[in-house]
Amino acid sequence: QVQLADSGGGLVQPGGSLRLSCPPSGSIFSINAMGWYRQAPGKQRELVAVISSGGSTDYADSVKGRFTISRDNAKNTVFLQMNSLKAEDTAVYYCKARSGDTDYWGQGTQVTVSS
């Protein structure tokens, strides 16, 4: 069982920033695409941002211009820089990495945006 160790969440005021990271908790080989998802209470999990092995990115419309996904291929780590946070961004954030035909998930990190 290989898992990712997503972290960096917390309580932040509207307009603030957080940086999430997701290093592997075990050895993962040949990681391809990586991404971030989030799930708010009572809602389905949604894709926030993805990044390919070559660095191509895509974002949900709700976070474009505010969030930036990046990766460190040498460390198999993906990051999510979140700026101008809004209350609607409150959710549990999960990272995911795809290796071949297998998806690996983080345990989730809580992001709460409130004054």
Side-chain angles (χ1 to χ4, degrees), residues 42-61:
K43 298 183 178 180
Q44 294 185 340
R45 186 173 299 185
E46 65 175 347
L47 178 66
V48 176
V50 294
I51 184 168
S52 72
S53 61
S56 298
T57 60
D58 197 13
Y59 299 88
D61 288 340

Side-chain angles (χ1 to χ4, degrees), residues 43-93:
K43 298 183 178 180
Q44 294 185 340
R45 186 173 299 185
E46 65 175 347
L47 178 66
V48 176
V50 294
I51 184 168
S52 72
S53 61
S56 298
T57 60
D58 197 13
Y59 299 88
D61 288 340
S62 59
V63 307
K64 285 182 178 178
R66 300 187 298 117
F67 291 10
T68 302
I69 187 171
S70 61
R71 65 188 293 167
D72 184 338
N73 289 333
K75 300 179 180 179
N76 284 333
T77 302
V78 63
F79 305 91
L80 186 67
Q81 179 67 46
M82 304 185 294
N83 298 325
S84 301
L85 283 162
K86 307 174 181 179
E88 65 191 64
D89 297 317
T90 296
V92 178
Y93 285 71

